[in-house]
PDB file of all heavy atoms in Angstrom:
ATOM      1  N   ALA A   1     112.665  92.630 114.313  1.00  0.00           N
ATOM      2  CA  ALA A   1     112.181  93.444 113.205  1.00  0.00           C
ATOM      3  C   ALA A   1     111.792  92.573 112.013  1.00  0.00           C
ATOM      4  O   ALA A   1     110.755  92.797 111.381  1.00  0.00           O
ATOM      5  CB  ALA A   1     113.247  94.453 112.796  1.00  0.00           C
ATOM      6  N   VAL A   2     112.604  91.569 111.710  1.00  0.00           N
ATOM      7  CA  VAL A   2     112.300  90.674 110.592  1.00  0.00           C
ATOM      8  C   VAL A   2     111.034  89.883 110.878  1.00  0.00           C
ATOM      9  O   VAL A   2     110.162  89.732 110.004  1.00  0.00           O
ATOM     10  CB  VAL A   2     113.501  89.737 110.317  1.00  0.00           C
ATOM     11  CG1 VAL A   2     113.115  88.627 109.362  1.00  0.00           C
ATOM     12  CG2 VAL A   2     114.673  90.524 109.767  1.00  0.00           C
ATOM     13  N   SER A   3     110.877  89.402 112.095  1.00  0.00           N
ATOM     14  CA  SER A   3     109.682  88.643 112.459  1.00  0.00           C
ATOM     15  C   SER A   3     108.435  89.507 112.378  1.00  0.00           C
ATOM     16  O   SER A   3     107.386  89.062 111.897  1.00  0.00           O
ATOM     17  CB  SER A   3     109.807  88.087 113.871  1.00  0.00           C
ATOM     18  OG  SER A   3     110.899  87.217 113.950  1.00  0.00           O
ATOM     19  N   ALA A   4     108.522  90.739 112.832  1.00  0.00           N
ATOM     20  CA  ALA A   4     107.373  91.643 112.790  1.00  0.00           C
ATOM     21  C   ALA A   4     106.974  91.957 111.352  1.00  0.00           C
ATOM     22  O   ALA A   4     105.784  91.976 111.011  1.00  0.00           O
ATOM     23  CB  ALA A   4     107.687  92.931 113.541  1.00  0.00           C
ATOM     24  N   THR A   5     107.961  92.172 110.496  1.00  0.00           N
ATOM     25  CA  THR A   5     107.675  92.449 109.090  1.00  0.00           C
ATOM     26  C   THR A   5     107.063  91.234 108.407  1.00  0.00           C
ATOM     27  O   THR A   5     106.098  91.354 107.642  1.00  0.00           O
ATOM     28  CB  THR A   5     108.962  92.877 108.356  1.00  0.00           C
ATOM     29  OG1 THR A   5     109.538  93.980 109.053  1.00  0.00           O
ATOM     30  CG2 THR A   5     108.672  93.277 106.935  1.00  0.00           C
ATOM     31  N   ALA A   6     107.596  90.052 108.685  1.00  0.00           N
ATOM     32  CA  ALA A   6     107.052  88.824 108.093  1.00  0.00           C
ATOM     33  C   ALA A   6     105.618  88.596 108.545  1.00  0.00           C
ATOM     34  O   ALA A   6     104.754  88.226 107.745  1.00  0.00           O
ATOM     35  CB  ALA A   6     107.927  87.635 108.468  1.00  0.00           C
ATOM     36  N   ARG A   7     105.341  88.845 109.822  1.00  0.00           N
ATOM     37  CA  ARG A   7     103.979  88.672 110.326  1.00  0.00           C
ATOM     38  C   ARG A   7     103.021  89.653 109.663  1.00  0.00           C
ATOM     39  O   ARG A   7     101.894  89.304 109.304  1.00  0.00           O
ATOM     40  CB  ARG A   7     103.959  88.847 111.841  1.00  0.00           C
ATOM     41  CG  ARG A   7     102.579  88.682 112.438  1.00  0.00           C
ATOM     42  CD  ARG A   7     102.603  88.958 113.939  1.00  0.00           C
ATOM     43  NE  ARG A   7     101.270  89.039 114.476  1.00  0.00           N
ATOM     44  CZ  ARG A   7     100.585  88.006 114.937  1.00  0.00           C
ATOM     45  NH1 ARG A   7     101.110  86.807 114.907  1.00  0.00           N
ATOM     46  NH2 ARG A   7      99.377  88.172 115.425  1.00  0.00           N
ATOM     47  N   LYS A   8     103.467  90.884 109.498  1.00  0.00           N
ATOM     48  CA  LYS A   8     102.617  91.899 108.873  1.00  0.00           C
ATOM     49  C   LYS A   8     102.306  91.520 107.424  1.00  0.00           C
ATOM     50  O   LYS A   8     101.160  91.618 106.980  1.00  0.00           O
ATOM     51  CB  LYS A   8     103.309  93.259 108.943  1.00  0.00           C
ATOM     52  CG  LYS A   8     102.436  94.412 108.557  1.00  0.00           C
ATOM     53  CD  LYS A   8     103.099  95.712 108.912  1.00  0.00           C
ATOM     54  CE  LYS A   8     102.110  96.839 108.812  1.00  0.00           C
ATOM     55  NZ  LYS A   8     102.653  98.091 109.296  1.00  0.00           N
ATOM     56  N   LEU A   9     103.320  91.078 106.697  1.00  0.00           N
ATOM     57  CA  LEU A   9     103.103  90.654 105.313  1.00  0.00           C
ATOM     58  C   LEU A   9     102.189  89.438 105.239  1.00  0.00           C
ATOM     59  O   LEU A   9     101.308  89.357 104.373  1.00  0.00           O
ATOM     60  CB  LEU A   9     104.441  90.352 104.636  1.00  0.00           C
ATOM     61  CG  LEU A   9     105.266  91.557 104.234  1.00  0.00           C
ATOM     62  CD1 LEU A   9     106.627  91.108 103.727  1.00  0.00           C
ATOM     63  CD2 LEU A   9     104.552  92.356 103.168  1.00  0.00           C
ATOM     64  N   ALA A  10     102.377  88.485 106.144  1.00  0.00           N
ATOM     65  CA  ALA A  10     101.539  87.288 106.156  1.00  0.00           C
ATOM     66  C   ALA A  10     100.084  87.649 106.434  1.00  0.00           C
ATOM     67  O   ALA A  10      99.168  87.111 105.795  1.00  0.00           O
ATOM     68  CB  ALA A  10     102.051  86.303 107.196  1.00  0.00           C
ATOM     69  N   THR A  11      99.866  88.584 107.345  1.00  0.00           N
ATOM     70  CA  THR A  11      98.503  89.014 107.643  1.00  0.00           C
ATOM     71  C   THR A  11      97.855  89.688 106.436  1.00  0.00           C
ATOM     72  O   THR A  11      96.695  89.427 106.117  1.00  0.00           O
ATOM     73  CB  THR A  11      98.512  89.981 108.847  1.00  0.00           C
ATOM     74  OG1 THR A  11      99.139  89.344 109.948  1.00  0.00           O
ATOM     75  CG2 THR A  11      97.112  90.411 109.227  1.00  0.00           C
ATOM     76  N   ILE A  12      98.613  90.534 105.768  1.00  0.00           N
ATOM     77  CA  ILE A  12      98.087  91.215 104.583  1.00  0.00           C
ATOM     78  C   ILE A  12      97.742  90.203 103.501  1.00  0.00           C
ATOM     79  O   ILE A  12      96.651  90.252 102.902  1.00  0.00           O
ATOM     80  CB  ILE A  12      99.109  92.259 104.069  1.00  0.00           C
ATOM     81  CG1 ILE A  12      99.211  93.421 105.061  1.00  0.00           C
ATOM     82  CG2 ILE A  12      98.718  92.767 102.682  1.00  0.00           C
ATOM     83  CD1 ILE A  12     100.357  94.361 104.776  1.00  0.00           C
ATOM     84  N   LEU A  13      98.645  89.264 103.243  1.00  0.00           N
ATOM     85  CA  LEU A  13      98.391  88.260 102.210  1.00  0.00           C
ATOM     86  C   LEU A  13      97.210  87.357 102.576  1.00  0.00           C
ATOM     87  O   LEU A  13      96.399  87.005 101.721  1.00  0.00           O
ATOM     88  CB  LEU A  13      99.654  87.433 101.972  1.00  0.00           C
ATOM     89  CG  LEU A  13     100.813  88.196 101.326  1.00  0.00           C
ATOM     90  CD1 LEU A  13     102.043  87.316 101.258  1.00  0.00           C
ATOM     91  CD2 LEU A  13     100.429  88.696  99.954  1.00  0.00           C
ATOM     92  N   TRP A  14      97.104  86.983 103.848  1.00  0.00           N
ATOM     93  CA  TRP A  14      95.986  86.150 104.302  1.00  0.00           C
ATOM     94  C   TRP A  14      94.655  86.862 104.055  1.00  0.00           C
ATOM     95  O   TRP A  14      93.713  86.288 103.521  1.00  0.00           O
ATOM     96  CB  TRP A  14      96.148  85.830 105.781  1.00  0.00           C
ATOM     97  CG  TRP A  14      95.002  85.059 106.359  1.00  0.00           C
ATOM     98  CD1 TRP A  14      93.874  85.573 106.932  1.00  0.00           C
ATOM     99  CD2 TRP A  14      94.859  83.647 106.383  1.00  0.00           C
ATOM    100  NE1 TRP A  14      93.063  84.566 107.330  1.00  0.00           N
ATOM    101  CE2 TRP A  14      93.633  83.361 107.004  1.00  0.00           C
ATOM    102  CE3 TRP A  14      95.655  82.587 105.959  1.00  0.00           C
ATOM    103  CZ2 TRP A  14      93.180  82.072 107.205  1.00  0.00           C
ATOM    104  CZ3 TRP A  14      95.199  81.302 106.163  1.00  0.00           C
ATOM    105  CH2 TRP A  14      93.980  81.050 106.776  1.00  0.00           C
ATOM    106  N   ASN A  15      94.597  88.127 104.450  1.00  0.00           N
ATOM    107  CA  ASN A  15      93.362  88.884 104.267  1.00  0.00           C
ATOM    108  C   ASN A  15      93.028  89.075 102.793  1.00  0.00           C
ATOM    109  O   ASN A  15      91.858  89.033 102.407  1.00  0.00           O
ATOM    110  CB  ASN A  15      93.450  90.238 104.971  1.00  0.00           C
ATOM    111  CG  ASN A  15      93.408  90.107 106.472  1.00  0.00           C
ATOM    112  OD1 ASN A  15      92.884  89.129 107.005  1.00  0.00           O
ATOM    113  ND2 ASN A  15      93.960  91.077 107.171  1.00  0.00           N
ATOM    114  N   MET A  16      94.039  89.275 101.978  1.00  0.00           N
ATOM    115  CA  MET A  16      93.790  89.454 100.545  1.00  0.00           C
ATOM    116  C   MET A  16      93.287  88.156  99.921  1.00  0.00           C
ATOM    117  O   MET A  16      92.378  88.177  99.084  1.00  0.00           O
ATOM    118  CB  MET A  16      95.066  89.927  99.839  1.00  0.00           C
ATOM    119  CG  MET A  16      95.430  91.359 100.142  1.00  0.00           C
ATOM    120  SD  MET A  16      96.991  91.847  99.401  1.00  0.00           S
ATOM    121  CE  MET A  16      96.596  91.742  97.672  1.00  0.00           C
ATOM    122  N   HIS A  17      93.847  87.031 100.309  1.00  0.00           N
ATOM    123  CA  HIS A  17      93.505  85.768  99.661  1.00  0.00           C
ATOM    124  C   HIS A  17      92.208  85.153 100.204  1.00  0.00           C
ATOM    125  O   HIS A  17      91.309  84.814  99.444  1.00  0.00           O
ATOM    126  CB  HIS A  17      94.653  84.775  99.813  1.00  0.00           C
ATOM    127  CG  HIS A  17      94.413  83.471  99.116  1.00  0.00           C
ATOM    128  ND1 HIS A  17      94.403  83.373  97.753  1.00  0.00           N
ATOM    129  CD2 HIS A  17      94.154  82.246  99.607  1.00  0.00           C
ATOM    130  CE1 HIS A  17      94.144  82.119  97.424  1.00  0.00           C
ATOM    131  NE2 HIS A  17      94.000  81.408  98.541  1.00  0.00           N
ATOM    132  N   TYR A  18      92.118  85.011 101.518  1.00  0.00           N
ATOM    133  CA  TYR A  18      90.991  84.281 102.093  1.00  0.00           C
ATOM    134  C   TYR A  18      89.773  85.149 102.368  1.00  0.00           C
ATOM    135  O   TYR A  18      88.654  84.651 102.389  1.00  0.00           O
ATOM    136  CB  TYR A  18      91.422  83.565 103.376  1.00  0.00           C
ATOM    137  CG  TYR A  18      92.326  82.402 103.086  1.00  0.00           C
ATOM    138  CD1 TYR A  18      93.688  82.502 103.269  1.00  0.00           C
ATOM    139  CD2 TYR A  18      91.813  81.210 102.584  1.00  0.00           C
ATOM    140  CE1 TYR A  18      94.530  81.440 102.984  1.00  0.00           C
ATOM    141  CE2 TYR A  18      92.646  80.143 102.292  1.00  0.00           C
ATOM    142  CZ  TYR A  18      93.991  80.266 102.494  1.00  0.00           C
ATOM    143  OH  TYR A  18      94.821  79.217 102.206  1.00  0.00           O
ATOM    144  N   LYS A  19      89.973  86.439 102.583  1.00  0.00           N
ATOM    145  CA  LYS A  19      88.835  87.316 102.853  1.00  0.00           C
ATOM    146  C   LYS A  19      88.476  88.171 101.645  1.00  0.00           C
ATOM    147  O   LYS A  19      87.583  89.008 101.725  1.00  0.00           O
ATOM    148  CB  LYS A  19      89.143  88.219 104.049  1.00  0.00           C
ATOM    149  CG  LYS A  19      89.295  87.464 105.357  1.00  0.00           C
ATOM    150  CD  LYS A  19      89.531  88.430 106.501  1.00  0.00           C
ATOM    151  CE  LYS A  19      89.656  87.691 107.810  1.00  0.00           C
ATOM    152  NZ  LYS A  19      89.893  88.635 108.927  1.00  0.00           N
ATOM    153  N   ASN A  20      89.219  87.993 100.559  1.00  0.00           N
ATOM    154  CA  ASN A  20      88.994  88.741  99.308  1.00  0.00           C
ATOM    155  C   ASN A  20      88.976  90.253  99.540  1.00  0.00           C
ATOM    156  O   ASN A  20      88.136  90.977  99.018  1.00  0.00           O
ATOM    157  CB  ASN A  20      87.700  88.294  98.629  1.00  0.00           C
ATOM    158  CG  ASN A  20      87.801  86.880  98.127  1.00  0.00           C
ATOM    159  OD1 ASN A  20      88.855  86.461  97.659  1.00  0.00           O
ATOM    160  ND2 ASN A  20      86.714  86.137  98.219  1.00  0.00           N
ATOM    161  N   GLN A  21      89.899  90.708 100.354  1.00  0.00           N
ATOM    162  CA  GLN A  21      90.023  92.133 100.615  1.00  0.00           C
ATOM    163  C   GLN A  21      91.171  92.693  99.779  1.00  0.00           C
ATOM    164  O   GLN A  21      92.192  92.045  99.600  1.00  0.00           O
ATOM    165  CB  GLN A  21      90.310  92.400 102.084  1.00  0.00           C
ATOM    166  CG  GLN A  21      89.205  92.014 103.021  1.00  0.00           C
ATOM    167  CD  GLN A  21      89.576  92.239 104.473  1.00  0.00           C
ATOM    168  OE1 GLN A  21      90.737  92.508 104.799  1.00  0.00           O
ATOM    169  NE2 GLN A  21      88.598  92.123 105.347  1.00  0.00           N
ATOM    170  N   HIS A  22      90.988  93.894  99.292  1.00  0.00           N
ATOM    171  CA  HIS A  22      92.073  94.566  98.583  1.00  0.00           C
ATOM    172  C   HIS A  22      92.998  95.211  99.606  1.00  0.00           C
ATOM    173  O   HIS A  22      92.567  95.592 100.698  1.00  0.00           O
ATOM    174  CB  HIS A  22      91.529  95.628  97.636  1.00  0.00           C
ATOM    175  CG  HIS A  22      90.718  95.050  96.536  1.00  0.00           C
ATOM    176  ND1 HIS A  22      91.270  94.340  95.501  1.00  0.00           N
ATOM    177  CD2 HIS A  22      89.378  95.044  96.310  1.00  0.00           C
ATOM    178  CE1 HIS A  22      90.334  93.939  94.679  1.00  0.00           C
ATOM    179  NE2 HIS A  22      89.153  94.355  95.155  1.00  0.00           N
ATOM    180  N   TYR A  23      94.259  95.326  99.238  1.00  0.00           N
ATOM    181  CA  TYR A  23      95.214  95.967 100.142  1.00  0.00           C
ATOM    182  C   TYR A  23      94.939  97.457 100.159  1.00  0.00           C
ATOM    183  O   TYR A  23      94.910  98.120  99.123  1.00  0.00           O
ATOM    184  CB  TYR A  23      96.649  95.691  99.702  1.00  0.00           C
ATOM    185  CG  TYR A  23      97.674  96.408 100.550  1.00  0.00           C
ATOM    186  CD1 TYR A  23      97.777  96.135 101.908  1.00  0.00           C
ATOM    187  CD2 TYR A  23      98.524  97.365 100.005  1.00  0.00           C
ATOM    188  CE1 TYR A  23      98.700  96.783 102.702  1.00  0.00           C
ATOM    189  CE2 TYR A  23      99.449  98.014 100.793  1.00  0.00           C
ATOM    190  CZ  TYR A  23      99.530  97.717 102.133  1.00  0.00           C
ATOM    191  OH  TYR A  23     100.442  98.365 102.920  1.00  0.00           O
ATOM    192  N   ASN A  24      94.711  97.982 101.327  1.00  0.00           N
ATOM    193  CA  ASN A  24      94.424  99.400 101.498  1.00  0.00           C
ATOM    194  C   ASN A  24      95.439  99.974 102.480  1.00  0.00           C
ATOM    195  O   ASN A  24      95.205  99.956 103.690  1.00  0.00           O
ATOM    196  CB  ASN A  24      92.996  99.582 102.030  1.00  0.00           C
ATOM    197  CG  ASN A  24      92.579 101.031 102.042  1.00  0.00           C
ATOM    198  OD1 ASN A  24      93.240 101.877 101.465  1.00  0.00           O
ATOM    199  ND2 ASN A  24      91.484 101.314 102.724  1.00  0.00           N
TER     200      ASN A  24
END
């Protein structure tokens, strides 16, 4: 569960930073 949550957060942050996407 911790690994899945960390991966999800990392994906969201990656998309926000490198793809300039807003969190939706």
Side-chain angles (χ1 to χ4, degrees):
V2 169
S3 299
T5 305
R7 180 184 170 89
K8 190 169 193 173
L9 284 173
T11 304
I12 291 169
L13 292 175
W14 176 270
N15 289 336
M16 288 176 65
H17 183 70
Y18 289 102
K19 294 183 179 180
N20 293 323
Q21 295 177 350
H22 295 288
Y23 176 62
N24 188 12

